[in-house]
Amino acid sequence: MSLLHLAIVAPLIFAILVPFFYKSFRRIHTGWFVLPLPILLFIYFFSFISTTKSKEVVMKTLDWIPTLGINFTAKVDGLGLLFALLITGIGALVVLYSIYYLSKGKEKLHNFYVYLLLFMGAMLGVVLSDNLIVMYAFWELTSFSSFLLIGYWYHREKSRYGAQKSMLITVFGGLSMLGGIILLYLMTGSFSISEIITQADVIVTSPLFIPALICILLGAFTKSAQFPFHIWLPDAMEAPTPVSAYLHSATMVKAGIYLVARLTPVFAVDGLWLWLVASFGIFTLFWGSFSAVKQTDLKSILAFSTVSQLGLIMSLLGVGAASLHYVGLDDNLYVVATTAAIFHLINHATFKGSLFMVVGIVDHETGTRDIRKLGGLLHFMPITFTLAMIGAFSMAGLPPFNGFLSKEMFFTGMLRVLEMDFFSFDSFAILFPILAWVASVFTFIYSMILVFKTFTGKYQPEKLEKKPHEAPLGMLISPIILASLVIIIFFFPNSLLSDNLISPALSSILPSLLTDEEGFMVHIYQWHGFNPELFMTLGVIAVGVLLYLTLPKWRRVYDLFPENLTLNRFYDGAVNRAQTGSFKFTKSFMNGSIRSYLVYIFTFFIVILATALFYKNAFKVDTTNLASIGVYEVLLALLIMIGAVSILFAKTRLSQIILLGSVGYTVSLFYVLFRAPDLALTQLVIESVSVALFLVCFYHLPKLRREETRIRFKLTNAIISVGVGAIVTLIALSAHSNKFFSSISQYYIENTYEKAAGKNMVNVILVDFRGFDTLFEITVLAIASLGIYGMIKLRLARREED
Amino acid sequence: MEILMSIVVGVLFMTATYLMLSKSLLRIIVGTGLLSHGAHLLILTMGGLKRGAAPLLGENAESYTDPLPQALILTAIVISFGVTAFFLVLAYRAYKELGTDNIEQMRGTESNE
């Protein structure tokens, strides 16, 4: 186990210790014990930057299930490291923030930090595993810990609903991803991502390629909240705000992005991948920003904004993958899209994390997140306002914040789609820049709503639960750090990010584009000159300001969407229908009546045997090897048949019992005829005892309701019973006609006296050759008699109740 | 003879099935009795009928009937007797406790589980 492995599972191991800290040191906030871990991990992963910068990849393998090719292979390359730094860095800030956000006395802190550490370890595992199965295991652990964190306040109905919803959707995607992984394994014979990438040309020609692609994408889209699977994310806002900031904006929802980026070298060879990723991304971008404007809850706005920003990154990854189709061009047009995706991924983590924390502060200090109740907080919370403004302006794509840079690159990438000339992109490529631009306008509007509806306008003290005041310093540290990053990245994007993080990440996403040792030359410009992108941004600002000011006038647009035609309604309906449907289905055949179950069993018996007889052509009657028929046998056969059938028509219980007895005695007469003296003897005795028992039980019963009726005729019963009888007869005849080998009984006949010193062969078989049967048959009788005794004597429960 | 016996067995199975599909507990137990008779006769028939003397060495016959199916049937008779006796007393107790031998009225429903 290397240090790298230890670093990945350190949060998981540390999670075990958290309850001890919590119980032993009640006076210190448990978060302080947790805080050093992500900081240490961040420093540790930071030390890898020089390695990945020189394009080296660190691989460490720990055997797990070597026989199945499943090993915990940790791999640090540019992409994995970028995510690991995000996870540990923002993790540390979130832990710090949560120390001030969650109260020591009221909250179950040990639960919170255990779940959070579980999540952190799982997420590190996802981004640093080279083995797909190991990655899948960590992937499900993120779903699982996210479920626990969303349902942290489990006494709230909405938390439980949100947790269940996110669990159902992400686990659905996760399972489908597992399907994709298995398909990849079938195609390549390996679970290792690095090895699978080298076989990309094998995969693309395989018939399993398309199913694998769709399965993997389902996993990525559900996790990263792409349309139409984004519905779980707004409901996940019931989690504590640090969780929303960490999981549902900066890290977990980017696991799908990570997956798409990681498997781009495998799947992007086919145009379908680009098409699906880019289209779903761009539509999610539009839909998320469009829906965000109508929200009234601050966290809902941020949730939909996250959805839309994830769509943006996803569409950039889709478009960027086009660069693989233009290998050989010196000036690769589409690498800029992938660069923008990575860059925006970092930017989004910074500004969205700080925005969530800001909203958490507002919630914490005023007691509400409803923008209709908020307003005029500027004078009470100047620092928070500044932070919110930095975050929101960056989100809207304004200078001098980092969102501006990535938004410009995003426009560049989208405009390049116009030049794409394959996979029918050319016909509707124009939609991409248009949707991107419209979505940016909406992004601008909701960013403005977020800041100005909260902090400016009329102060409404009567609607607030608390008197608002500035947050404590500790709560402000984390958003201040993130917000300063927002500005610093704007001014120094190249010295900070491009060579250290973006370029190594690019070479992980697009490895085949690099011919020699050189890396991607990434250069981010603040100023492009007067180009279309700049005018698009200016247009966004102009139209955005106009629409924001006239918001009350056109807000009614949202009423055009019928209330009961939303995706949430559809989801709720599907869940409900699945429940009631399966309930009804079970009810329809599990009706509690023994007769119905017997009907199923007998019908199945008839159908399966008849089909087998028919299909295997097994039925035949061989008349050569038959015993002769005598008068007595015919008479007895008639007697037994008449006896059996007349039970059906017997009216009283007594006659039924007597008829059953007559059948039994006839059977024993058969035994006499067929030379089985011991059987005849036993049958006679047992039949007498049975009939006596029947009589005791039912003839001397208290006359509760003695309406003696004949059995009522039912056609289905008749058909089924005739079917059973016929099948048994047919099988008996066929079995008798298909004898493959002779009996082993010659041995018993020869050795009964010689070896076992007896002359009665049946008895010798029972007690000597096959004595074990007899032993347990005695046991059966003993158990039966004890059971009968118990049933008659022990009546504890009922009697006490009475 | 085996063909005739197969038919007899079929008739026994048929009547047994019909009885088991009825509502009265007593008829169901009678049905199981008929079913075990049918099964025993089936084993005997499948072992071959009337081929030689009874399986007693004192007979000094040329050939004997197959003793193995007889041993199997003997075991089966005793076991089915044990089960039938148990079942009968169970039915008796159910009758006394519940006041009915109609199995449709003994249905378990969701509410009283």
Side-chain angles (χ1 to χ4, degrees), chain A residues 550-564:
Chain A
T550 55
L551 183 62
K553 292 194 179 127
W554 58 272
R555 211 184 181 121
R556 254 174 274 127
V557 167
Y558 290 104
D559 299 337
L560 293 177
F561 292 90
E563 189 66 15
N564 49 5

Side-chain angles (χ1 to χ4, degrees), chain A residues 315-335:
Chain A
S315 68
L316 280 173
L317 281 177
V319 173
S323 55
L324 289 175
H325 293 260
Y326 292 94
V327 178
L329 290 182
D330 287 334
D331 174 31
N332 201 315
L333 286 170
Y334 299 103
V335 176

Side-chain angles (χ1 to χ4, degrees), chain B residues 87-108:
Chain B
F87 194 13
L88 261 174
V89 178
L90 185 68
Y92 169 74
R93 290 279 297 131
Y95 200 167
K96 278 198 120 178
E97 292 284 325
L98 305 171
T100 177
D101 75 336
N102 185 341
I103 55 154
E104 292 295 310
Q105 292 172 359
M106 295 182 187
R107 256 191 226 212

